Amino acid sequence: MNNAFPSNPFGGSGFGSGPGGPASAIFDAMDQLRKTFEQRPSGGSRMAKGDVRTAVLSLLVEKPMHGYQIINEIAERSGGSWKPSAGSVYPTLQLLADEGLIEAEEQNGRKTYSLTEAGRAVAAEHTETPAPWESQSKGEGSHDNPRYTALPKAGVDLAAAAAAVGRSGSTEQVQQAVEILDEARRRLYSILAQD
């Protein structure tokens, strides 16, 4: 078998560590793999300020919430594709309060926000349009799409298993792992070649 790896790609004395050592190389490769799978579909996770505003109003129609709840609720409803930062949610809450659309009440050391009558009227204007997180959780970029869920998990799990063999395996076990990974790579490319 034509193989670019030596019989023990992790060095003669096993899977060493330290800067520039074999362990460093495998962990760098795993990190690169993770980053590749974490790349977001085009458009990323940033939403316009108006979307944060609409999302906050949409959630507060349902029940009063504090800022952290709002952030987590948006992340959950978007399937994780959009998690607004505190730096976008809290200023939006302040702006909505300044406009008289929401009011804050201190509960258990946290400000809990609820809609005013004016806020309910503004929120009602948006009931016909989908909530901003719905547009983030639909289509090709959806986190229900295996491209962004199952495949990345499988890739990271595979890299972790390879690293475990590299850390603890004998020279023969490492060579077996290299052969399995080479075969897996060839089979993956053959999937693309089927079209």
Side-chain angles (χ1 to χ4, degrees):
M1 173 157 91
N2 185 8
N3 194 324
F5 292 99
S7 63
N8 184 352
F10 304 108
S13 60
F15 192 65
S17 60
S24 174
I26 194 75
F27 288 119
D28 287 347
M30 285 178 56
D31 191 48
Q32 184 61 41
L33 177 66
R34 179 186 54 77
K35 286 177 183 173
T36 299
F37 282 120
E38 284 182 347
Q39 290 176 355
R40 302 240 182 230
S42 63
S45 64
R46 291 201 170 260
M47 297 291 283
K49 289 184 190 280
D51 291 328
V52 174
R53 176 186 172 92
T54 303
V56 169
L57 290 172
S58 297
L59 289 174
L60 293 180
V61 162
E62 297 175 14
K63 67 179 182 180
M65 295 184 186
H66 55 76
Y68 184 71
Q69 283 176 299
I70 291 169
I71 292 168
N72 286 333
E73 195 66 31
I74 292 170
E76 184 176 312
R77 292 184 188 204
S78 70
S81 64
W82 177 33
K83 184 173 184 177
S85 69
S88 64
V89 170
Y90 285 102
T92 300
L93 289 168
Q94 184 60 54
L95 181 64
L96 291 169
D98 292 346
E99 294 174 6
L101 301 179
I102 64 171
E103 57 191 6
E105 182 181 314
E106 189 85 20
Q107 291 181 346
N108 301 326
R110 291 184 180 212
K111 284 186 179 179
T112 301
Y113 300 91
S114 58
L115 292 175
T116 62
E117 286 302 318
R120 278 190 263 291
V122 169
E125 295 171 9
H126 297 285
T127 57
E128 297 302 314
T129 59
W133 56 78
E134 290 175 0
S135 65
Q136 281 292 299
S137 62
K138 303 280 188 234
E140 184 67 16
S142 173
H143 278 252
D144 291 334
N145 184 323
R147 177 176 298 191
Y148 300 108
T149 54
L151 184 60
K153 181 181 181 329
V156 170
D157 289 349
L158 179 64
V165 172
R167 269 193 309 275
S168 307
S170 68
T171 301
E172 293 79 25
Q173 289 170 325
V174 168
Q175 183 56 41
Q176 286 176 341
V178 168
E179 291 170 9
I180 289 169
L181 291 174
D182 282 347
E183 175 63 18
R185 177 184 43 79
R186 283 191 294 278
R187 291 184 64 190
L188 288 170
Y189 279 126
S190 75
I191 292 170
L192 293 174
Q194 291 172 11
D195 286 341

